[in-house]
Amino acid sequence: MSDAAIPFRKQMDFEYGVAEEVTPMVRRIVARNPSGFTFHGTNTYIIGRGRVAVIDPGPLLDEHLEALVRELDGETVEHIVVTHTHHDHSPGSEPLQNRVGGTLWGARPRPLPAGTKTTESIHWAFAPDEELTDGTVVKGDGWTLESIHTPGHMSNHMCFALPEEDILFSG
């Protein structure tokens, strides 16, 4: 093992509402919902060109929805995939789907055991068209997303591997 520390980057160059190319296959738009949990804001990713997928449409913010719709103009949204159902990741999925189409993928929130109290902000109404499980593969034009069930942050949490770019979207 190396003694070198993993660098923690606190700087991120971005502009709210503007898509930034992360790789030739991946664009990112940051929602204006900064907090101790979201850093500068929730990252929404667009995968592919022409026929695309959107990962984590984010919170219910009109500004963010309009930025996504603008960036997606002229493209076909085939899939909208959600990592988990906290209010900063999934509530924007239904309004986005209503505007641009696409199949909504995700894992429904799991009921809490009777008597459990939580202060978590859970989007209980999330209802995907297709239920994700560990290993589900969502394919598009030149890209593949494989879901990896990663409970802990939330019981229905999924990461998405994009093998064509060696990227893992952790949500």
Side-chain angles (χ1 to χ4, degrees):
M1 290 186 75
S2 169
D3 289 335
I6 297 173
F8 180 70
R9 295 187 198 151
K10 294 182 180 181
Q11 298 293 340
M12 185 172 112
D13 294 327
F14 74 98
E15 184 178 336
Y16 288 116
V18 176
E20 177 187 353
E21 187 172 287
V22 177
T23 73
M25 193 176 286
V26 178
R27 291 167 277 168
R28 178 190 68 213
I29 299 178
V30 180
R32 193 185 305 266
N33 64 328
S35 77
F37 295 106
T38 64
F39 192 37
H40 294 298
T42 302
N43 292 310
T44 298
Y45 294 96
I46 301 168
I47 311 302
R49 300 282 178 174
R51 294 174 33 223
V52 304
V54 176
I55 299 175
D56 282 348
L60 283 176
L61 292 175
D62 289 339
E63 169 190 55
H64 190 61
L65 175 62
E66 293 307 319
L68 284 168
V69 169
R70 253 191 332 272
E71 182 64 21
L72 295 165
D73 186 41
E75 298 188 281
T76 300
V77 176
E78 293 183 328
H79 306 285
I80 299 169
V81 295
V82 172
T83 58
H84 64 291
T85 53
H86 276 149
H87 274 281
D88 55 334
H89 289 263
S90 61
S93 59
E94 186 178 339
L96 181 65
Q97 185 183 39
N98 289 340
R99 296 278 299 272
V100 301
T103 301
L104 179 56
W105 296 79
R108 294 178 195 282
R110 296 194 170 112
L112 299 173
T116 302
K117 294 182 181 178
T118 182
T119 58
E120 281 189 288
S121 177
I122 300 171
H123 179 206
W124 292 107
F126 180 73
D129 301 320
E130 297 288 339
E131 187 83 15
L132 287 173
T133 59
D134 188 57
T136 301
V137 174
V138 179
K139 290 186 176 226
D141 187 15
W143 53 264
T144 307
L145 292 173
E146 181 179 351
S147 64
I148 303 163
H149 185 220
T150 52
H153 178 67
M154 195 165 181
S155 63
N156 68 344
H157 192 274
M158 298 283 176
C159 289
F160 298 105
L162 177 64
E164 294 86 355
E165 294 279 355
D166 286 331
I167 295 174
L168 181 69
F169 297 94
S170 62

